[in-house]
Amino acid sequence: MTRAVDRVYSHIRDSIVSGKFAPGSRLGEVELAELTATSRTPVREALRQLEMEGLVEVLPNKGARVYEWTADDLDEIYDLRMTLEAMAAARAAKRISEKDVDRLSELCDLMEIAARGGAAQQLDLMAQLNDEFHSIVRTAAASTRLMPMLGAVVQLPLVLRTFHRFAPADLTRSHAHHRDLVAALRAGDETWADSVMRAHVRAAKHVLLQSLEADERRNSK
């Protein structure tokens, strides 16, 4: 059973983050069972796992569907994230340890290697490395107020979906931003760190909103 659940989980999850299952799409247990050549029991368990990760929502008497962020939701989330992440980066510039900056540099190397793989699993790995990168910066900011506010707007499922929508040029730009941020933190320059982080988050927001618009155009045809 566990193997069947893992297989179904991977299939649904990959379809969501790649955009094959669009935001708001209904995830019927019968249809998914037929699609994955299994029974409804592993499908139901896989959907529970995905609900816990924030990729799926289960509505009373309506079943499961892909979690949907509207364009307005994304606009607000990314604007809030940009302000808070930039503030964290600026604070971190004066507080981060040399050891943490060295780890950020290592993470840059690892993210660039993962991006060259191109496969969905590699992009997932890159998203996890990216999460560690930003977590180090937030922790170095040493602000008990910033951390819970950032936790409310930085959601790994949304980051995952963004990475899977990145074109090669978008990934290259993201890597360059990470490298610039490491340089700013190593220099202890608050203004530079703030500026780089704002550009970094704004660029990710642009990619996701453009991708959402493209999905809407396809679905309206």
Side-chain angles (χ1 to χ4, degrees), residues 13-14 17 119-129 160 164:
R13 185 179 182 278
D14 290 347
V17 297
Q121 294 87 344
Q122 292 298 95
L123 291 177
D124 286 353
L125 172 60
M126 196 177 81
Q128 291 166 13
L129 294 168
L160 268 171
H164 281 264

Side-chain angles (χ1 to χ4, degrees), residues 4-23 27 32 35-36 42-43 45-56 65-67 69 119-129 131 155-165:
V5 172
D6 290 343
R7 180 167 55 81
V8 175
Y9 165 85
S10 295
H11 179 89
I12 300 172
R13 185 179 182 278
D14 290 347
S15 296
I16 291 172
V17 297
S18 69
K20 183 178 178 181
F21 291 166
L27 298 170
L32 288 170
L35 189 63
T36 56
V43 169
E45 180 57 35
L47 289 173
R48 281 198 205 99
Q49 292 181 30
L50 291 162
E51 183 183 23
M52 289 174 62
E53 292 180 17
L55 286 170
V56 166
R65 69 174 187 176
V66 179
Y67 193 88
W69 286 279
Q121 294 87 344
Q122 292 298 95
L123 291 177
D124 286 353
L125 172 60
M126 196 177 81
Q128 291 166 13
L129 294 168
D131 187 55
Q155 303 170 49
L156 186 56
L158 188 52
V159 174
L160 268 171
R161 189 171 289 168
T162 306
F163 272 126
H164 281 264
R165 301 301 179 92

Side-chain angles (χ1 to χ4, degrees), residues 88-105 107 132-142 181-190 193:
R91 286 179 58 87
K94 292 299 184 185
R95 295 168 174 82
I96 196 166
S97 68
E98 185 176 347
K99 179 182 176 182
D100 279 345
V101 176
D102 289 341
R103 177 55 182 166
L104 291 177
S105 184
L107 288 167
E132 182 183 348
F133 183 98
H134 285 274
S135 292
I136 289 172
V137 176
R138 292 174 207 133
T139 301
L181 184 59
V182 171
L185 294 172
R186 201 178 289 281
D189 191 317
E190 297 166 280

